[in-house]
Amino acid sequence: MHAKVNHAKVEFDAIPGNLGFARVAAASFAAGLGFTVEDLEDIKLAVSEAVSNCIIHAYPGPGEARPTVLMVMEARESEFVVSIEDKGIGIADVAMARKPGVTTDSERLGMGFTLMEALADQVDVKSELGVGTRVEMIFSPERGG
Amino acid sequence: MIEWEVSGNSLVVEIAGELDLTCADEFRRVLDSLIDSHPGVARVILCMDRVAFIDSSGIGVLFGRHRRMALRGGTLAIASPSPQAMRALDLLGVPSVIHVYDTLKQALAAEAEVRKCTRK
Ligand SMILES: Nc1ncnc2c1ncn2[C@@H]1O[C@H](COP(=O)(O)OP(=O)(O)OP(=O)(O)O)[C@@H](O)[C@H]1O
Ligand SMILES: [Mg+2]
């Protein structure tokens, strides 16, 4: 297949109403890259987890700036790379937050990062307190799972 | 989004749509009020064949209701999950905690079986 190189950037308000939009945007960008329907469902689920985290956790207080999420999608050769970024409170201990069942919200399962790791070929999390969090996930169509 | 009926000892709830952050609170409220208004029901069966999408926000609600039913000595089960729902449930190991049946018929039959055993 021809190597495809492409990229798209969307910035949106960190509100629940934009979650479905983010999922569909990522899946339709990835749709031309050789993924199966099941793969695209996996991409939707992983994106839903990352974007939900920005909406739920990143902006807890009344801040002066408008809370937003930046989603950057890239087609690199045969891979789909998506990064989801906020300018929120950040995560104090990323390694701890990524563990299954770790949550700062008693109503939640603490399984978002665990799902992202199960779904994507690679997950990279960068976070700084008071600056924000960036989650990058890489998916390739030919993966065995 | 949610339809329900009582069948024998079970409250059968049909869920449809996308169970994410946008509707998790409402989903929780509706299920809780259904559970509370049917104190005699021993089991809640959630039919999930029309669930187009579910993520950890939705699955968190399922776990919470499972716990709620367990607290009153009842159970919660899932019937006929859509492929996407089954995938998400599997990835989170839900079937080892909450019974998942392929069809509503199987879920109802299993319940009858449980009742027969406990009556002895
Ligand atoms: N973008 C973010 N900004 C600030 N904190 C975050 C962010 N993403 C995750 N976290 C922190 O990491 C923890 C773990 O995230 P994870 O998605 O695994 O679980 P959760 O969101 O708490 O629960 P679930 O995803 O199962 O609903 C969160 O409880 C939160 O404290
Ligand atoms: Mg989460």
Side-chain angles (χ1 to χ4, degrees):
Chain A
M1 204 211 293
H2 237 265
K4 288 178 185 163
V5 179
N6 186 15
H7 112 282
K9 248 184 210 186
V10 278
E11 192 176 26
F12 49 89
D13 287 348
I15 55 170
N18 282 331
L19 185 55
F21 159 72
R23 281 199 296 266
V24 171
S28 51
F29 182 93
L33 304 173
F35 290 100
T36 63
V37 174
E38 289 78 20
D39 289 341
L40 294 174
E41 287 296 325
D42 283 356
I43 288 171
K44 277 192 195 173
L45 181 52
V47 165
S48 198
E49 294 301 333
V51 174
S52 293
N53 278 352
C54 301
I55 298 169
I56 299 162
H57 305 294
Y59 304 102
E64 62 274 22
R66 183 174 189 160
T68 55
V69 178
L70 175 68
M71 181 165 81
V72 181
M73 296 160 282
E74 252 180 279
R76 264 189 222 158
E77 301 293 325
S78 61
E79 288 175 342
F80 170 62
V81 185
V82 58
S83 71
I84 287 146
E85 193 177 337
D86 63 64
K87 295 190 182 71
I89 57 168
I91 302 171
D93 185 342
V94 170
M96 176 60 94
R98 288 175 72 154
K99 288 192 180 140
V102 172
T103 179
T104 48
D105 182 337
S106 62
E107 286 287 297
R108 310 211 143 260
L109 299 172
M111 294 304 283
F113 278 127
T114 306
L115 268 178
M116 290 182 242
E117 271 159 33
L119 294 162
D121 295 322
Q122 219 174 294
V123 180
D124 179 58
V125 184
K126 289 202 168 57
S127 190
E128 204 179 317
L129 284 180
V131 178
T133 302
R134 180 177 183 274
V135 175
E136 183 183 272
M137 295 182 281
I138 302 180
F139 298 84
S140 22
E142 66 273 75
R143 91 206 128 103
Chain B
M1 190 182 91
I2 289 182
E3 287 160 36
W4 59 274
E5 64 174 5
V6 175
S7 169
N9 225 3
S10 296
L11 174 65
V12 179
V13 186
E14 173 91 37
I15 315 160
E18 300 193 311
L19 297 180
D20 63 9
L21 176 62
T22 10
C23 63
D25 285 339
E26 196 201 336
F27 181 40
R28 181 186 301 113
R29 261 198 311 276
V30 171
L31 280 182
D32 281 349
S33 75
L34 270 176
I35 288 171
D36 290 346
S37 60
H38 293 86
V41 148
R43 187 150 94 143
V44 173
I45 301 172
L46 301 175
C47 292
M48 296 182 56
D49 50 312
R50 290 194 292 148
V51 170
F53 180 84
I54 188 166
D55 64 12
S56 68
S57 296
I59 292 174
V61 175
L62 300 183
F63 268 111
R65 291 341 92 194
H66 171 73
R67 230 177 294 128
R68 215 178 153 95
M69 283 306 289
L71 280 175
R72 73 178 209 197
T75 58
L76 179 136
I78 293 167
S80 57
S82 67
Q84 194 279 334
M86 195 60 233
R87 168 95 171 132
L89 295 173
D90 272 337
L91 285 170
L92 290 183
V94 174
S96 67
V97 183
I98 300 177
H99 266 292
V100 180
Y101 299 96
D102 288 343
T103 64
L104 174 59
K105 213 172 143 193
Q106 283 173 13
L108 288 167
E111 187 222 25
E113 205 48 48
V114 171
R115 259 190 291 164
K116 232 185 286 165
C117 295
T118 48
R119 215 181 291 145
K120 278 182 199 158

